[in-house]
Amino acid sequence: MSRTCLLLQCVFLESCNLPTSATRSLLSNSFTCPQAFFIFGDSLTDTGNIQILAPGVNSTTLNYPYGESYTFTNERGHNRYSDGRLIVDFIAQAFGFPFFEPILLQSDKGFQTDYTHGVNFAYSGATVIPNNTKNPIYLQYELDKFFDYKKALLSSPQPSTPLSFLPTAAYLIPEMGINDFYYAYSNGVSPETAIDEILPKSLKLVVSAVEQLHASGARIIIVGNQQPQGCSPSVLTPLRGIRTGRYDTIGCSDEHNRVNRVFNRKLKRALTKLQESYKIDGTLIIQFDFYNAFMEVFTNPAKYGFNPSNRFEVCCGFGGPYNYNGKVMCGNNGTVPLSKGRTQFVNISTALNPKEHIEWDGVHFTEATYKVIASFFLSGKFFISPLGFNFKHLCNLDFSQF
Ligand SMILES: *[C@@H]1O[C@H](CO)[C@@H](O)[C@H](O)[C@H]1NC(C)=O
Ligand SMILES: *[C@@H]1O[C@H](CO)[C@@H](O)[C@H](O)[C@H]1NC(C)=O
Ligand SMILES: *[C@@H]1O[C@H](CO)[C@@H](O)[C@H](O)[C@H]1NC(C)=O
Ligand SMILES: *[C@@H]1O[C@H](CO)[C@@H](O)[C@H](O)[C@H]1NC(C)=O
């Protein structure tokens, strides 16, 4: 395809991604589509690890109305922080793979189930910085689980399935560091302090994760940057009435979003440098811009089928300006304080019209939102790098189940 042709395409298509020289050389080296995905991360990508990690302490993901929009036919059921599928579930379906199984389920079964298209190491609530909260799971923990898993696979005398997928696997690290900030905010840390004290530590560890995966043989590494947390009802709700803050034109807290923007800018710089030094062995680092992908949806809700009248209204929640109360959340019940010392018992077991809502439970998003973000990702929109790279054009994707 000539450059002129691409330029013309660019005029007519929304996504104006011209291939960089890196993309061109990559494509001429006959790119092999990923045969498997190894997933890391937090509740954005967790397909059940959190549930298995704490048996007997069932997370609310098993309570109605979690999972009300999609029926998973596998044995673990829904087990996700949404009303239905997550971004990684749509990725699995587009590539024609089974849903990525939680690693804890895999190890329970001695790796006898189908792992040939990947495994999920993500845990809800995972941080990047080790042990800085009550949550015991952090990024390096997930990586170490992956390294153990790989060792077990490679040393298994009779692997039930061939290991040829390992060299053509993609490794996905989405939006890590988000929870480090959430926990800090809920402990009263200000956005300014978060930038100075938390950001440098977590950034360093995310970059280190990419380096470790590369050193272990990963050749397609996908890193998603941080979503705009200042648009989350969980961040916005406590701000109301306490301080005016600075809100952007759509109502997000700009001082919180700025934290994510600073993180993302530095992450981009570090990953671009790594990509340069990995060129020699053909490693591809894909940078996906979660921040602007989510901002696009928040800014133009109607364009994606969402009700624009309250773009931050939580689908499954209770009370306040966003239908959100951090004391009793979706799928749970309890007593919430009202004004003048009164209290009310609530049982949050209804969620009307999840397809019209962007926000699911105040922290996580609806399946409908995840579908839009997954579609962006698969069609190369909001790629920071490499520009012009597009799974939809390169791989044989199937969108029929979307
Ligand atoms: C957790 O869920 C499992 C499976 O649905 C159920 O058997 C168990 O009783 C639940 N445990 C608690 C403490 O609710
Ligand atoms: C985090 O805490 C656990 C449990 O106390 C411990 O085993 C682990 O080594 C700690 N990790 C780091 C990096 O400090
Ligand atoms: C509601 O509260 C009861 C009693 O505290 C508890 O047993 C139950 O698991 C809670 N959750 C739901 C969804 O009813
Ligand atoms: C809360 O609602 C769910 C679903 O309707 C119901 O099964 C549960 O018993 C309710 N719990 C309480 C404590 O009212």
Side-chain angles (χ1 to χ4, degrees):
M1 196 181 282
S2 75
R3 189 173 163 80
T4 327
C5 176
L6 280 163
L7 277 169
L8 279 175
Q9 245 190 7
C10 176
V11 172
F12 295 111
L13 293 179
E14 276 172 280
S15 141
C16 191
N17 284 349
L18 287 180
T20 59
S21 61
T23 317
R24 277 198 298 272
S25 73
L26 188 116
L27 299 183
S28 63
N29 287 344
S30 69
F31 171 74
T32 308
C33 288
Q35 303 300 300
F37 283 81
F38 294 110
I39 318 267
F40 302 90
D42 52 28
S43 52
L44 193 85
T45 46
D46 183 356
T47 54
N49 278 315
I50 191 70
Q51 190 62 53
I52 308 168
L53 176 70
V57 191
N58 291 340
S59 72
T60 49
T61 56
L62 292 182
N63 295 353
Y64 188 83
Y66 279 94
E68 69 168 354
S69 302
Y70 189 85
T71 305
F72 286 87
T73 49
N74 62 12
E75 65 187 288
R76 295 296 309 183
H78 182 256
N79 253 317
R80 288 148 168 85
Y81 276 102
S82 182
D83 58 315
R85 291 163 289 178
L86 308 182
I87 294 167
V88 291
D89 296 316
F90 286 109
I91 292 177
Q93 289 187 317
F95 277 84
F97 300 163
F99 293 119
F100 306 115
E101 284 207 341
I103 181 62
L104 289 179
L105 180 60
Q106 287 285 348
S107 41
D108 278 358
K109 294 192 169 171
F111 306 115
Q112 289 311 298
T113 55
D114 184 8
Y115 53 77
T116 45
H117 291 299
V119 178
N120 193 333
F121 295 85
Y123 289 80
S124 301
T127 55
V128 170
I129 301 169
N131 293 346
N132 73 335
T133 68
K134 285 199 200 101
N135 194 307
I137 309 293
Y138 46 93
L139 184 54
Q140 187 64 48
Y141 176 98
E142 295 182 8
L143 289 174
D144 289 343
K145 285 278 172 215
F146 168 73
F147 297 136
D148 290 350
Y149 161 80
K150 190 173 168 185
K151 214 189 287 167
L153 273 191
L154 293 175
S155 65
S156 158
Q158 280 182 311
S160 55
T161 27
L163 301 175
S164 56
F165 66 88
L166 279 173
T168 58
Y171 297 75
L172 174 65
I173 305 177
E175 69 147 32
M176 286 303 276
I178 279 285
N179 282 327
D180 300 75
F181 291 135
Y182 270 133
Y183 292 128
Y185 297 150
S186 63
N187 286 324
V189 174
S190 73
E192 295 73 22
T193 306
I195 289 182
D196 291 341
E197 290 177 7
I198 297 168
L199 192 152
K201 284 188 217 158
S202 60
L203 179 76
K204 207 168 127 202
L205 293 167
V206 171
V207 174
S208 158
V210 175
E211 290 170 332
Q212 292 176 59
L213 287 173
H214 174 258
S216 85
R219 292 297 173 261
I220 305 172
I221 304 171
I222 304 165
V223 184
N225 69 11
Q226 294 184 348
Q227 53 163 301
Q229 280 176 287
C231 302
S232 174
S234 63
V235 168
L236 287 169
T237 300
L239 294 181
R240 284 290 165 119
I242 295 175
R243 55 180 168 173
T244 48
R246 282 174 294 124
Y247 296 94
D248 66 13
T249 53
I250 58 168
C252 303
S253 166
D254 197 54
E255 54 178 344
H256 290 84
N257 278 351
R258 182 170 159 262
V259 179
N260 307 115
R261 288 197 301 269
V262 172
F263 183 98
N264 292 345
R265 197 166 62 230
K266 292 183 183 220
L267 180 69
K268 176 182 171 182
R269 200 179 302 147
L271 293 181
T272 304
K273 224 161 105 190
L274 277 188
Q275 173 67 87
E276 197 55 34
S277 68
Y278 293 167
K279 237 163 60 182
I280 191 154
D281 62 19
T283 297
L284 171 64
I285 299 179
I286 294 174
Q287 295 189 53
F288 180 67
D289 193 352
F290 271 120
Y291 186 98
N292 283 301
F294 277 108
M295 276 315 242
E296 162 67 13
V297 178
F298 287 133
T299 309
N300 305 296
K303 185 171 166 190
Y304 301 99
F306 300 110
N307 185 340
S309 66
N310 186 350
R311 67 194 97 209
F312 301 122
E313 182 182 79
V314 172
C315 185
C316 180
F318 171 82
Y322 307 100
N323 192 37
Y324 172 83
N325 186 316
K327 290 199 166 55
V328 181
M329 288 173 62
C330 182
N332 231 320
N333 59 69
T335 305
V336 294
L338 300 176
S339 59
K340 297 185 181 131
R342 289 176 305 131
T343 59
Q344 184 185 341
F345 175 82
V346 290
N347 183 16
I348 307 180
S349 57
T350 51
L352 298 177
N353 306 326
K355 282 193 168 48
E356 290 182 7
H357 284 85
I358 299 173
E359 300 286 346
W360 169 245
D361 60 8
V363 177
H364 310 100
F365 300 92
T366 57
E367 176 183 87
T369 306
Y370 288 141
K371 189 197 301 196
V372 173
I373 304 291
S375 304
F376 288 158
F377 172 75
L378 293 167
S379 55
K381 285 184 188 162
F382 299 102
F383 272 24
I384 295 168
S385 150
L387 293 179
F389 182 89
N390 189 330
F391 281 116
K392 196 160 125 186
H393 287 167
L394 292 168
C395 305
N396 187 20
L397 300 188
D398 171 11
F399 291 90
S400 64
Q401 292 175 83
F402 271 42

